[in-house]
Amino acid sequence: REIVLAAVKQECGALGYASEELRADREVMLAAIKFEQNWEAVTHPSTELRTDREFMLAAVKQHGFALKHASPELRADREIVLAAVKQECGALGYASEELRADREVMLAAIKFEQNWEAVTHPSTELRTDREFMLAAVKQHGFALKHASPELRADREIVLAA
């Protein structure tokens, strides 16, 4: 265990060679996530850790794409999804459908995203939400493409884009 801990602090790729038992060890996996520069460290956790809320919250705070490896229940956990999206907006694609329709989650995604792709995920309801789409086009003009036809005809929204 100590050897694997030391190894993952130096080179997380070592984790792939660890036993199943050590990949299920919370301390080892948290060390791997903390010291790994690549989010793929979280592709190695055990099924048990993928359902462990505390572990997955720590994982997505370091690497938003870790949400991909969370259990379906945790992909529907608002706090975990918000943390993932704030770290890496692309993680939004792994959130539950319900949370992809959530205004707060989507506004966070738009705010923290470096490109306009975050707005390709809104629900039909959000595409018709004037306040949401106005915020989206102010951040990313290309969001206008994903607004409802009625909002694409809204002068203020079009000018904001």
Side-chain angles (χ1 to χ4, degrees):
R1 182 174 189 268
E2 297 307 315
I3 292 171
V4 171
L5 266 173
V8 299
K9 288 179 181 179
Q10 294 296 313
E11 174 57 55
C12 193
L15 189 60
Y17 302 103
S19 69
E20 285 292 322
E21 180 182 335
L22 289 174
R23 287 194 308 244
D25 184 298
R26 176 188 288 238
E27 185 181 353
V28 170
M29 293 306 294
L30 286 173
I33 289 166
K34 182 177 180 183
F35 292 101
E36 176 58 34
Q37 296 302 312
N38 187 330
W39 66 273
E40 290 189 31
V42 297
T43 64
H44 296 291
S46 65
T47 302
E48 184 178 297
L49 284 177
R50 292 171 196 236
T51 62
D52 181 314
R53 187 179 190 284
E54 184 181 335
F55 171 78
M56 287 310 301
L57 183 58
V60 299
K61 283 182 176 180
Q62 284 293 111
H63 309 287
F65 279 120
L67 187 61
K68 176 181 180 179
H69 304 288
S71 67
E73 296 78 22
L74 295 180
R75 290 182 194 188
D77 183 301
R78 172 186 277 272
E79 182 182 6
I80 289 175
V81 170
L82 276 172
V85 165
K86 286 178 180 177
Q87 205 287 321
E88 171 55 60
C89 185
L92 185 62
Y94 301 110
S96 69
E97 194 168 317
E98 178 182 308
L99 288 180
R100 287 194 310 261
D102 183 282
R103 174 186 275 213
E104 180 185 358
V105 171
M106 292 304 295
L107 285 173
I110 290 166
K111 180 179 178 183
F112 290 97
E113 177 57 28
Q114 297 302 312
N115 66 50
W116 60 273
E117 289 184 42
V119 297
T120 64
H121 294 288
S123 65
T124 303
E125 183 178 304
L126 286 176
R127 291 171 196 247
T128 63
D129 182 318
R130 187 177 191 284
E131 184 180 337
F132 171 79
M133 288 309 302
L134 184 58
V137 299
K138 283 181 177 178
Q139 194 73 13
H140 309 287
F142 286 107
L144 186 60
K145 175 183 176 181
H146 302 287
S148 68
E150 298 80 23
L151 293 180
R152 286 196 304 263
D154 183 302
R155 178 177 169 79
E156 183 181 4
I157 290 176
V158 171
L159 288 173

